């Protein structure tokens, strides 16, 4: 997660309160998703960005997590996400993020 | 209306500019924040031999093919090409000292000061260099004494110029209050001009054309030439035409973010097809801003800073000659304003619709070239493998359309796609680094069709939320007999 995105999320967390913020990731590689989630939960692991050493403990989800699908209108899902669903291992991402969310809780 | 135009010739250039990495947009902002960063960057710069032997660079100039790179052991930077040559089948790699000569030759406003000693060295480089012309030597001048250079740096807002980390000159600003004429902006523009002129001269040489025979130039470079009243006004095309002494040409710039080269090919092809010009050069010079852009990922992994080269591309468009590959302007892929910004829609408009118009599909076009960013540059920074992600999405589209089965995804990517091998110079990776490879394969009868498609992120400029993109099919000239 680049420094600009980290600082935007930090600003939003300060403005609205971290308990009122949920982050939805969209990256298609599992490793990238995990690093972003770790950054938003426990702080930037590379210690390069504004979230280095900052534990925001945010609730982080991936937009393709199968259990979230029912919250998205089918036609919107098909138009915006259908193509990604074909190539992304959504279940693996959900399992990984779910584990991280449980650990954070 | 005449037949579709052809791409009669092409040229590719890489310029090793490691001492300019410090002036890339990201490094120049970050270096002042940390005492350690400057020395860390310097310690991770490559020398010219390493740049020449780097496998993706050898693909860029045509000594290797993308298929070779796909089979090359990774990481590529640790597996150099043995006995690599800076001269390739489609272009060449130029060292920094020689480039300093062209940078000074490009300077008509005393922007570049080089010491007398260094001037003598670059003069020697340019003398006899196949891309230099007598006017370049005149422009070099005698050089500027170090005292004056140091004063310019200390008191006049000039930026120091280095070669192998040694101070050899300075770059001047041309207005003390105009950000568009600051030393850094002018440096960016002049580097585009110098590298652009070099690649256009190389193109003319390869085409066997005199500069006087050229009629029109389109620059698709990424820079913004102008002053405070006309930021980005241009014209890089005419500046390069001037440096190449293309006295019978005129030209202007086409900007479309990272899709610029495809727009420029389509615009230029249209002008040739409409018989406005009998020949036309599309070119893109290098982009200083992108140097060292992903340096932090490279430092983190203790690997060399790979964004140490300027890229240059140039293409000569002419009416159909019965031999060269054809630009199928009757089936240009358009991302219209109303097309929306979902990836699915963008790929449909850029790939499926134009191919269908020609009776082709995602699995019947021979190759699809997308943005060919070198993944070894982008992945360490967490920016992903751009071409691979594009090919995965194209494969997903093919699956959704029933053209392939899900288990054929990897085969589709390997067959229709290719690994990224272009420097991350913004416009340069925009599908066209493959054009030379495609043209050669078509000439040898190994390929019939290649779709060139590129996308642009207009929202980066904060004027539109839209995405952008354009595609055009390159086709083996039908006048060539099968296998000839």
């Amino acid at each position: 997660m680049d420094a600009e995105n980290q600082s935007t999320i930090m600003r939003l967390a300060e403005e609205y309160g971290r308990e009122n913020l949920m982050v939805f990731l969209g990256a298609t590689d599992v490793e990238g998703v995990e690093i972003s989630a770790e950054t938003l939960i426990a702080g930037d692991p590379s210690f390069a960005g504004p979230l280095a050493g900052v534990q925001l403990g945010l609730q982080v989800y991936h937009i393709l997590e199968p259990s979230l699908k029912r919250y998205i209108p089918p036609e919107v899902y098909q138009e915006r996400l259908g193509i990604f669903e074909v190539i992304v291992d959504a279940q693996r991402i959900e399992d990984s993020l779910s584990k991280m969310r449980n650990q954070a809780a | 209306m005449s037949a579709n135009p052809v791409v009669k010739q092409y040229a590719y250039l890489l310029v090793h500019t490691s001492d300019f990495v410090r002036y890339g947009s990201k490094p120049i902002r970050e270096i002042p924040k940390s005492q350690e960063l400057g020395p860390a960057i310097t310690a991770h710069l490559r020398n010219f031999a390493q740049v020449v032997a780097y496998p993706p660079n050898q693909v860029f100039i045509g000594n290797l093919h993308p298929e070779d790179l796909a089979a090359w052991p990774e990481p590529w930077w640790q597996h150099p090409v043995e006995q690599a040559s800076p001269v390739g089948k489609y272009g060449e790699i130029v060292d920094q000292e020689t480039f300093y000569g062209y940078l000074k030759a490009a300077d008509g406003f005393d922007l570049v000061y080089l010491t007398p000693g260094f001037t003598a060295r670059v003069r020697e480089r340019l003398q006899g260099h196949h891309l230099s012309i007598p006017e370049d030597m005149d422009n070099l001048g005698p050089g500027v004494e170090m005292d004056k250079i140091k004063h310019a740096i200390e008191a006049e807002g000039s930026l120091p110029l280095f070669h192998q980390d040694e101070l050899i000159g300075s770059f001047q600003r041309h207005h003390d209050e105009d950000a568009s004429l600051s030393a850094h902006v002018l440096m960016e523009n002049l580097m585009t001009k110098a590298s652009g002129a070099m690649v256009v001269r190389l193109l003319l040489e390869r085409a066997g054309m005199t500069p006087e025979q050229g009629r029109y130039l389109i620059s698709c470079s990424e820079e913004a030439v102008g002053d405070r009243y006309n930021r980005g006004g241009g014209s890089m095309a005419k500046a390069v035409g001037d440096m190449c002494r293309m006295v019978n040409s005129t030209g202007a710039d086409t900007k479309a973010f990272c899709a610029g080269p495809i727009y420029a090919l389509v615009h230029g092809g249209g002008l040739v097809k409409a018989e406005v010009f009998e020949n036309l050069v599309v070119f893109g010079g290098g982009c200083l801003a992108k140097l060292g852009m992903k340096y932090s990922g490279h430092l983190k992994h203790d690997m060399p800073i790979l964004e140490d080269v300027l890229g240059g591309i140039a293409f000569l468009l002419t009416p159909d000659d019965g031999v060269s590959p054809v630009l199928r302007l009757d089936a240009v892929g358009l991302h219209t304003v109303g097309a929306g910004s979902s990836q699915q829609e963008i790929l449909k408009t850029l790939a499926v619709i134009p191919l269908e118009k020609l009776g082709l599909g995602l699995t019947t076009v021979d190759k699809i070239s997308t943005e060919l960013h070198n993944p070894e540059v982008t992945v360490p920074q967490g920016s992903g493998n751009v071409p691979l992600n594009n090919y995965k999405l194209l494969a997903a589209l093919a699956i959704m359309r029933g053209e392939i089965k899900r288990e054929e995804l990897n085969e589709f990517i390997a067959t229709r796609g290719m690994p990224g091998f272009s420097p991350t110079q913004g416009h340069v990776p925009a599908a066209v680094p493959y054009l030379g490879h495609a043209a050669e394969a078509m000439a040898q009868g190994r390929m019939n069709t290649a779709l060139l498609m590129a996308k642009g992120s207009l929202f980066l400029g904060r004027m539109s939320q839209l995405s952008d993109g354009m595609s055009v099919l390159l086709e083996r000239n039908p006048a060539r007999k099968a296998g000839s």
Side-chain angles (χ1 to χ4, degrees), chain B residues 19-140:
Chain B
D19 282 282
F20 288 90
V21 168
R22 75 192 76 212
Y23 293 132
S25 174
K26 187 73 174 168
I28 201 174
R29 285 179 285 132
E30 297 301 323
I31 287 172
K33 297 177 190 168
S34 152
Q35 283 193 330
E36 293 87 38
L37 184 56
I41 286 179
T42 302
H44 285 80
L45 294 174
R46 296 186 292 187
N47 62 35
F48 183 60
Q50 289 171 311
V51 168
V52 170
Y54 185 51
N57 291 350
Q58 286 291 310
V59 179
F60 193 80
I61 60 169
N63 283 339
L64 291 177
H65 292 297
E67 305 86 74
D68 300 319
L69 195 61
W72 206 266
E74 296 180 46
W76 296 325
W77 63 273
Q78 284 185 331
H79 295 88
V81 178
E82 285 181 23
Q83 295 176 324
S85 169
V87 179
K89 267 193 289 180
Y90 318 148
E92 61 190 73
I93 307 172
V94 173
D95 64 277
Q96 183 175 273
E97 197 168 302
T98 304
F99 179 66
Y100 264 119
Y102 287 103
L103 190 68
K104 182 60 195 165
D107 173 17
F109 292 86
D110 262 343
L111 301 173
V112 178
Y113 290 170
L114 299 177
T115 63
F118 195 69
T119 302
R121 278 165 61 181
V122 301
R123 184 182 295 280
E124 213 167 286
R125 290 290 181 129
L126 291 204
Q127 263 161 1
H129 190 264
H130 68 113
L131 296 180
S132 74
I133 59 174
E135 286 89 336
D136 295 339
M137 301 299 164
D138 300 339
N139 262 8
L140 291 182

Side-chain angles (χ1 to χ4, degrees), chain A residues 1-4 28-29 32 35 44-48 77-88, chain B residues 26 296 300 340-345 347 381-382 384 389 392-397 399-400 406 409 462:
Chain A
M1 177 171 281
D2 67 24
E4 196 180 337
T28 53
D29 62 308
I35 292 171
D44 183 357
S46 70
F47 282 90
Y77 192 94
Q78 193 50 34
E79 186 200 328
R80 295 271 155 182
L81 301 170
I83 193 167
F84 294 101
E85 194 183 27
V86 178
I87 53 166
V88 172
Chain B
K26 187 73 174 168
S296 69
K300 195 165 80 184
S341 57
S342 82
Q343 283 297 319
Q344 198 167 320
E345 203 51 43
L347 291 177
Q381 177 83 352
N389 288 341
K392 277 185 183 170
L393 289 172
L394 285 164
L397 195 59
I399 293 168
M400 291 169 84
R406 191 178 289 257
L409 183 139
R462 308 296 194 268

